[in-house]
Amino acid sequence: MVKELRQQFNKSFTQQKYEAFFNDLNTAHSSLQFRPAETPVFVPKHFHKQMISACESIIDVILKPDFKELTENSIPKDLRVKNEDDYPGCLTFDFGVCINDHNKLEPQLIEMQAFPTLFAYEVLLDDTFYKHFEAPSNYSSYLGALSKDSYLKLLKDLILKNHAPENVILLEIFPDKQKTNIDFYCTQDYLGIKPVCVTELIKKGKELYYFNGGKETLIKRIYNRVIFDELLQQEEWVQEKAKVLFEDIDVEWMPHPNWFYRISKYTLPLIKHPNIPETNFLNKIEKIPSDLENYVLKPLFSFAGQGVVIDVTNEDIEKIEDRENWILQRKVQYASVIETLDEPAKAEIRIFYFWPDKADRPIPTNNLVRLSKGKMIGVRYNKDKSWTGGTFGLFER
């Protein structure tokens, strides 16, 4: 995205550098289960400002007094968790790198969630990158004026709050089997909290416990990584074990599970911004657009993009009975503008926001990027392709 820096990086790149980088990255826990891309994305100031402007417009909506009322129906009745807090501790915003009608690059929002992502792994990735590659000193993966140390302090305050690490857990479904488990181990390295499976929770009265080094230990705060849509796909005995999460338990959440639904595809129809594609609830559309080829059909409740219809037809819409649970979104065209050593790649940039305790607004902190040469972003669209996978953006300061 910054032509001179891209040319410099590509010219100095060697496969030997990448292999050394990959081996070093994987050595940390020998658990890297996704492909790290060969390059970061260099993000200029004007592009960064457009993304932040869109994020802030969404936050403005979240801060409105009636936001919870407007999003009450977003939470499935059988997945509502008690003791919801006033705001989510974290937010993530995904932007596609696109080309507009004036032939200029611009970000377009793809999705947003009040849910964690690779908050800790990106620190390891940044450290490892600079051991093997170079980048200009006025570019950083950390946003605002943050550095590694100040970012980790924010992350620690966010997840631990004022609790001892042994009383805080990272909660997942079989964490060792998750493709993103390297982030769990990095979180443990940086913060001292353990990844715990939902099947390992012990309830006594209103309190939860887990075994920590063979000792039954009280849980005061949960760093929640459980996606309930994924939970519903588990065997019955796993879902039975997880029912404790829906009871009246004496724990703090980061973030509270209800926010996963409140800030999601469900929120998009509430927001108008030039970098946010037009989105409408399917049941609120009076006339179906004649140019359906320019739209994508998405279920509000799905796991890992399942159910998304890219090439929409009238027949696809007609067979949907629960239209209140679907959105029709203006399609964005990813631009293949990241020059590589063969064909160019598309990019999707995820911005991290943290909401410090008692702060009026959340703040941008870090990012990740996914590169793709397939029809969509994702591993299954990039088999046997190089210069694809997970990476990060270096933002001009």
Side-chain angles (χ1 to χ4, degrees), residues 340-363:
T340 76
L341 300 189
D342 46 35
E343 61 181 307
K346 305 178 181 75
E348 188 173 282
I349 302 172
R350 176 172 294 175
I351 302 292
F352 307 168
Y353 267 72
F354 294 171
W355 205 320
D357 190 35
K358 298 180 181 178
D360 292 334
R361 299 175 71 93
I363 58 173

Side-chain angles (χ1 to χ4, degrees), residues 219-330:
I219 301 169
K220 295 183 179 180
R221 188 169 172 85
I222 293 174
Y223 177 35
N224 184 47
R225 302 297 291 266
V226 177
I227 296 176
F228 287 176
D229 295 340
E230 181 185 0
L231 180 61
L232 295 178
Q233 299 184 8
Q234 301 300 311
E235 294 180 46
E236 188 174 339
W237 73 271
V238 178
Q239 295 187 47
E240 191 66 29
K241 286 277 190 179
K243 284 183 178 179
V244 65
L245 302 177
F246 303 96
E247 298 178 18
D248 189 10
I249 49 177
D250 189 14
V251 296
E252 297 173 3
W253 292 91
M254 204 314 285
H256 190 282
N258 292 354
W259 285 105
F260 176 85
Y261 296 102
R262 290 191 185 278
I263 301 174
S264 62
K265 293 187 287 285
Y266 193 94
T267 321
L268 287 173
L270 306 177
I271 303 158
K272 305 299 178 187
H273 189 277
N275 297 109
I276 300 176
E278 173 196 349
T279 306
N280 292 288
F281 292 111
L282 191 57
N283 67 327
K284 298 286 182 70
I285 299 175
E286 295 182 2
K287 184 179 180 181
I288 300 300
S290 58
D291 58 336
L292 278 177
E293 68 274 9
N294 293 318
Y295 290 83
V296 59
L297 187 63
K298 295 181 178 180
L300 291 175
F301 310 108
S302 68
F303 173 60
Q306 294 178 2
V308 174
V309 182
I310 301 297
D311 300 311
V312 188
T313 65
N314 281 298
E315 289 72 24
D316 292 321
I317 294 175
E318 287 171 3
K319 65 184 180 184
I320 294 175
E321 297 179 358
D322 58 334
R323 295 194 177 191
E324 71 278 5
N325 293 324
W326 290 76
I327 57 171
L328 191 66
Q329 185 179 57
R330 190 86 184 172

Side-chain angles (χ1 to χ4, degrees), residues 1-12:
M1 291 171 66
V2 180
K3 186 175 182 180
E4 297 78 11
L5 298 182
R6 170 55 52 211
Q7 291 175 343
Q8 290 172 19
F9 184 90
N10 290 13
K11 186 176 181 180
S12 65

